[in-house]
Amino acid sequence: MSKATAIAHPNLAFLKYWGKRDSTLNIPINNSISMNLDAVQTVTTVEFNAAFANDEVVVLEQGGGGRARFDQRVSKHLDRLRSRAGSSLRARVITRNSFPAGTGFASSASGFAALTMAGSAALGLDLSERELSILSRMGSGSASRSIPDGIVEWLAGDSSDTSYARQLVPPDYWQLIDVAVLVSAEEKKVSSSEGHELAMNSPFWPVRLEALPGKYVRMSQAIHDRDFITFGRELESEAMMMHTIMMTSAHMDGDAWRSGIYYWTGDTLALVQAVQEWRAAGLQVYFTLDAGPTVHLICLETDREAVVSAVNMLAEQSGRAHWSLTVNRPGLGARLTDAHLEAR
Ligand code: PMV
């Protein structure tokens, strides 16, 4: 088979990956935990053909910039797959996201997971889940976690072969809901690759390093036990710890000194504050955020409607008609499909 198509979902980090031990191989400082988001996805078709003179990347239905850099990253990733298969064929990659890039859904995670799965199948490689996760990780760290199904842990490891993701629990183990509130469709200004490098500039970095092993043990246990309150408190504290690191990662941007990286907007803060009040009023809901302003409200299936109504009411009362909501459940990992994309 020289053509294959794969579907992969972005994942939402519960325990965050922020800071690398090895930037070339994307080996992280710490173990991280995430859930695949079933309502959003990337579909990617890869075709290798002796008639192609160069790699070509066609992105369907996606706005925004950064294309040249994206194409380079894809081509570099195809090189990894080609060297694995001993092939020199060039490829056409056609890809489509069901969500805007750079807005809090990790498009690089679903993108590199789908590219790895489709590209390796198109080259006739028969890779294990672990090998697919390792290869995806080299394209974008968090992509390693979009390979297995459900709620997933990425073991940091200490070498390329030992740094991969595996399933923690299957998608139907726990009826967790993510109500993602997209507050802005603008692309983020600081990429996560830049952010990872700046994390150690924060004076609170040593505090994080010390806290990480305990966080991992408590969060994995809470997931296994389906203990929502313990899980929720860990989740929200973790999001705040990562954003504290981000907001205190002082750095130079050309000639300009910046005191930190700010992914939040005023709308993000409004939701963070509202969550505190909703909980005080008895609603079991917690938030997390990745590297963007999108707020992910986590609750159990039984509270889904109440959370969606609370967000809609807040949007209406505060004149924020532009918010858009996506409801996600734990999703599958990357998989192949026969429905190939066609370039238009
Ligand atoms: O995989 P990257 O380099 O895009 O980094 C992802 C970073 C966060 O989304 C903020 C955290 C995470 O664990 O996914």
Side-chain angles (χ1 to χ4, degrees):
M1 188 166 41
S2 63
K3 181 171 175 173
T5 299
I7 302 174
H9 300 281
N11 62 74
L12 171 66
F14 294 159
L15 180 58
K16 311 294 187 180
Y17 152 53
W18 198 247
K20 303 183 191 186
R21 188 185 302 274
D22 183 319
S23 321
T24 320
L25 291 169
N26 289 340
I27 299 180
I29 296 284
N30 57 283
N31 295 350
S32 56
I33 299 177
S34 64
M35 154 177 146
N36 290 329
L37 303 176
D38 76 336
V40 276
Q41 64 180 37
T42 300
V43 181
T44 301
T45 298
V46 182
E47 180 180 2
F48 288 93
N49 195 317
F52 299 156
N54 295 301
D55 290 330
E56 187 198 352
V57 183
V58 181
V59 180
L60 301 177
E61 293 159 29
Q62 188 201 37
R67 274 301 309 275
R69 206 174 148 258
F70 177 69
D71 289 6
Q72 270 173 20
R73 280 179 78 185
V74 170
S75 204
K76 202 169 161 193
H77 200 61
L78 291 168
D79 286 342
R80 292 184 186 107
L81 301 177
R82 278 188 283 256
S83 89
R84 184 76 176 238
S87 165
S88 56
L89 294 175
R90 301 290 113 182
R92 177 184 294 148
V93 175
I94 309 172
T95 187
R96 189 178 61 212
N97 289 333
S98 68
F99 54 93
T103 51
F105 289 121
S107 58
S108 61
S110 50
F112 279 98
L115 179 66
T116 305
M117 182 144 243
S120 55
L123 284 167
L125 289 168
D126 183 19
L127 303 178
S128 65
E129 182 180 280
R130 177 170 170 168
E131 289 171 309
L132 287 165
S133 177
I134 289 170
L135 273 166
S136 301
R137 188 205 74 222
M138 294 185 201
S140 171
S142 55
S144 63
R145 294 188 312 233
S146 283
I147 294 288
D149 293 340
I151 300 183
V152 167
E153 62 176 354
W154 171 11
L155 302 169
D158 55 10
S159 62
S160 191
D161 288 350
T162 53
S163 186
Y164 67 98
R166 65 180 184 192
Q167 182 179 89
L168 205 54
V169 297
D172 58 1
Y173 184 82
W174 200 16
Q175 302 215 307
L176 276 185
I177 297 288
D178 162 36
V179 177
V181 188
L182 193 78
V183 299
S184 154
E186 224 176 273
E187 228 169 302
K188 64 188 171 209
K189 298 200 174 47
V190 182
S191 70
S192 46
S193 319
E194 292 167 271
H196 285 291
E197 301 305 315
L198 299 173
M200 294 83 185
N201 290 3
S202 165
F204 304 114
W205 182 248
V207 179
R208 177 158 179 76
L209 280 185
E210 202 174 308
L212 280 164
K215 279 170 166 288
Y216 169 68
V217 171
R218 289 191 302 274
M219 188 172 282
S220 338
Q221 195 60 48
I223 291 170
H224 279 295
D225 296 347
R226 301 186 185 91
D227 173 352
F228 187 67
I229 292 184
T230 305
F231 170 74
R233 290 178 184 176
E234 284 293 328
L235 176 83
E236 194 167 312
S237 309
E238 166 61 0
M240 286 309 305
M241 188 183 240
M242 179 179 72
H243 280 271
T244 301
I245 296 285
M246 290 165 163
M247 292 185 200
T248 51
S249 296
H251 60 281
M252 293 302 293
D253 175 14
D255 287 338
W257 180 79
R258 295 185 188 269
S259 55
I261 309 169
Y262 303 94
Y263 290 116
W264 295 31
T265 66
D267 288 11
T268 312
L269 182 59
L271 278 158
V272 163
Q273 288 176 326
V275 167
Q276 314 304 310
E277 300 315 318
W278 293 336
R279 247 191 340 256
L283 185 59
Q284 278 306 318
V285 58
Y286 297 85
F287 72 80
T288 187
L289 309 113
D290 277 340
T294 297
V295 180
H296 295 265
L297 301 170
I298 308 298
C299 63
L300 291 172
E301 176 65 41
T302 41
D303 286 324
R304 174 176 48 84
E305 278 178 32
V307 170
V308 169
S309 315
V311 178
N312 284 334
M313 202 183 294
L314 176 63
E316 205 180 299
Q317 283 167 355
S318 61
R320 290 174 162 115
H322 59 281
W323 286 1
S324 99
L325 270 57
T326 310
V327 175
N328 291 285
R329 293 176 174 75
L332 293 172
R335 65 240 181 236
L336 294 170
T337 164
D338 289 335
H340 302 307
L341 296 176
E342 300 293 338
R344 286 194 208 114

